[in-house]
Amino acid sequence: MSKMIIHGGKKLSGEVVISGAKNSTVAIIPASILSETPVTLDSVPHIQDVKNLRAILADMNVPSDFNGDRLQIDPTGIISKPLSNEKVKTLRASYYFMGALLSRFGKAEVGLPGGDDIGARPIDQHIKGFEALGAKVTDNNGVMVLQAPTAGLHGAHIVLDMASVGATMNLLLAAVKAKGQTIIENVAREPEIIDLATFLNNMGAHIRGAGTNVIRIEGVAHLRSNNAHTIIPDRIETGTYLSMAAAVGDGINVKNVILEHLDAFLAKLEAMGVKMDMTEDSIFVYPSGDLRAITVETNPYPGFATDLQQPMTPLLLKAHGQSVVIDNIYPKRVSHVPQLVRMGADIRVENNTIVIQHAEHLHGAIVTADEIRGGACVMTAGLMAEGDTTITKVENILRGYSHVVQKLQGLGADVEIVTD
């Protein structure tokens, strides 16, 4: 097992370039198997989830080549086969192979996904949509077996019970080749959904309404990739480094940013009193002065992202007064709280609400990255703290943050990963 060692208490400065969005990449890689021609993706992040997805592709006789940030995938020789339970359990995004395989072959057999433990994330909305498109879905001891009718999937009118990102993306993949028109209402509106729809449309799909709460899909018979697709910048990685810059920065420029993807987050930074200069695709964060306590409430996009409440929490410790975080998406997403307490933070959970008091100093400790964003939280706290912080389960951080050690070192951080 590997550990991240942070020798904290140092001010960071310089610039950091944001990588492609994890949450786009992990859907677009499974979507690539729908193409009848080789696929090229640019700005692909170097994260563990990409490595795991490539291993699943290899099992289906789909070779891939990853050079720099360009990933080339050749699905022309793909074979239909059940997907290994062990491999799919390594990441939640493996469930996108359900929609993609069902669309490509009319059948899929995929083990129930793994991923972070941040509370209940059922796939009932995915199943509801697949069945509306004509598929028969059975749970065979934790393996989802999907079978389209002999005539293939057909268009349908689907109303999701909740605006689920995963269900929206999975149903896009399943419906893109279904005969006739599919209308999906109450869909999620995240930028990553627009990115997936753009990728599919560039291959010949007919998808309208991505980014709104109603998506319309006219099924097509063939999808062919002709041009490289560039993954959008990762708004969660952006927010993480902006929080870090405000907490321990002595002037940091965060580059490759799409500002409108971060409206709710940037509004909270401004409410705290963080000083920033924004250009078309970068944000410069000045050293922080006195910061004001705020209330953060997570909501579906375009609201404040649940994935940013933990990375922002160390910054809230610097604010004078009492800050409050309410996560309406995953109320049980509080694994970072006891880790911060070990470092001297005055933070507690009351009725699914996180209450944060000003902390003048944090001290190094041995803490755990229980999941991706909780890991980002303790990583920033370790940079703020005096002394050494050791983060165990660092693999969880590497699942979501590309070249994180190199990026931190480039800002002047004293950080390394060691393997026992």
Side-chain angles (χ1 to χ4, degrees):
M1 297 296 287
S2 298
K3 299 179 290 189
M4 179 181 284
I5 312 294
I6 300 173
H7 308 286
K10 297 175 173 62
K11 285 289 188 181
L12 308 184
S13 62
E15 68 177 39
V16 61
V17 179
I18 298 303
S19 300
K22 167 189 176 290
N23 290 337
S24 280
T25 304
V26 297
I28 288 175
I29 290 175
S32 69
I33 70 170
L34 295 174
S35 177
E36 297 169 14
T37 56
V39 171
T40 299
L41 304 175
D42 284 330
S43 292
V44 175
H46 287 257
I47 55 176
Q48 188 63 39
D49 280 7
V50 168
K51 183 178 180 180
N52 294 341
L53 285 167
R54 290 181 65 207
I56 294 173
L57 289 177
D59 279 353
M60 294 186 287
N61 197 42
V62 177
S64 60
D65 183 58
F66 200 7
N67 255 314
D69 64 359
R70 170 166 280 206
L71 177 61
Q72 294 176 299
I73 300 168
D74 186 357
T76 53
I78 187 172
I79 55 174
S80 173
K81 62 178 291 188
L83 294 188
S84 153
N85 224 13
E86 287 312 306
K87 286 196 176 84
V88 299
K89 280 184 175 177
T90 59
L91 75 164
R92 185 158 184 84
S94 58
Y95 61 25
Y96 292 126
F97 283 109
M98 295 181 190
L101 287 169
L102 186 61
S103 187
R104 174 100 196 211
F105 292 110
K107 61 182 180 180
E109 193 171 319
V110 183
L112 283 174
D116 288 332
D117 182 11
I118 56 175
R121 297 193 285 177
I123 62 167
D124 58 313
Q125 296 304 295
H126 307 235
I127 294 169
K128 170 184 174 179
F130 294 147
E131 290 177 337
L133 294 168
K136 181 181 179 183
V137 183
T138 54
D139 182 349
N140 186 5
N141 295 318
V143 176
M144 304 308 296
V145 179
L146 300 86
Q147 181 69 54
T150 305
L153 298 177
H154 55 72
H157 190 166
I158 304 164
V159 181
L160 297 180
D161 296 336
M162 57 179 290
S164 160
V165 174
T168 300
M169 287 179 156
N170 229 343
L171 295 181
L172 270 180
L173 297 176
V176 72
K177 296 179 73 176
K179 295 181 180 67
Q181 184 184 63
T182 297
I183 299 173
I184 315 173
E185 296 192 47
N186 194 32
V187 294
R189 299 162 55 191
E190 272 73 358
E192 295 80 10
I193 291 166
I194 301 174
D195 202 17
L196 174 62
T198 301
F199 171 71
L200 292 169
N201 280 340
N202 286 342
M203 293 200 300
H206 294 162
I207 300 167
R208 293 182 295 125
T212 74
N213 59 5
V214 180
I215 292 178
R216 289 175 168 82
I217 307 155
E218 292 287 345
V220 297
H222 301 284
L223 294 171
R224 298 183 181 93
S225 177
N226 298 306
N227 302 296
H229 176 83
T230 301
I231 306 288
I232 60 172
D234 194 314
R235 61 196 170 97
I236 308 302
E237 186 190 17
T238 304
T240 299
Y241 281 106
L242 290 175
S243 295
M244 191 182 293
V248 294
D250 196 23
I252 291 178
N253 196 27
V254 183
K255 302 175 72 174
N256 192 33
V257 172
I258 298 179
L259 296 178
E260 54 264 37
H261 292 175
L262 291 152
D263 283 346
F265 179 78
L266 292 173
K268 289 300 181 183
L269 289 184
E270 290 174 342
M272 291 184 73
V274 175
K275 296 289 187 282
M276 298 172 284
D277 277 341
M278 303 182 197
T279 69
E280 184 180 347
D281 62 354
S282 69
I283 302 174
F284 183 85
V285 183
Y286 290 91
S288 290
D290 287 338
L291 298 177
R292 296 180 289 274
I294 58 169
T295 295
V296 172
E297 193 166 347
T298 73
N299 282 299
Y301 188 85
F304 191 100
T306 176
D307 279 355
L308 281 174
Q309 62 99 340
Q310 291 161 295
M312 191 184 199
T313 299
L315 177 61
L316 297 177
L317 292 169
K318 295 194 67 171
H320 292 278
Q322 177 176 290
S323 292
V324 173
V325 175
I326 303 163
D327 196 329
N328 293 312
I329 311 297
Y330 298 122
K332 302 297 184 186
R333 198 170 200 172
V334 296
S335 68
H336 58 302
V337 172
Q339 310 303 323
L340 292 175
V341 170
R342 290 183 191 176
M343 302 178 74
D346 186 352
I347 179 172
R348 65 187 187 279
V349 180
E350 292 180 357
N351 299 321
N352 291 336
T353 297
I354 302 170
V355 181
I356 303 153
Q357 307 291 345
H358 175 72
E360 203 62 51
H361 299 287
L362 297 177
H363 54 76
I366 298 175
V367 293
T368 300
D370 282 319
E371 40 99 358
I372 296 174
R373 309 307 172 187
C377 169
V378 295
M379 187 171 66
T380 296
L383 294 166
M384 295 166 60
E386 292 296 327
D388 294 349
T389 295
T390 299
I391 304 175
T392 61
K393 295 187 181 178
V394 72
E395 290 81 4
N396 282 328
I397 297 175
L398 303 181
R399 281 189 51 222
Y401 290 90
S402 182
H403 293 313
V404 63
V405 171
Q406 296 95 315
K407 289 182 181 182
L408 291 177
Q409 289 173 344
L411 294 171
D414 189 349
V415 56
E416 60 182 332
I417 290 181
V418 298
T419 303
D420 291 337

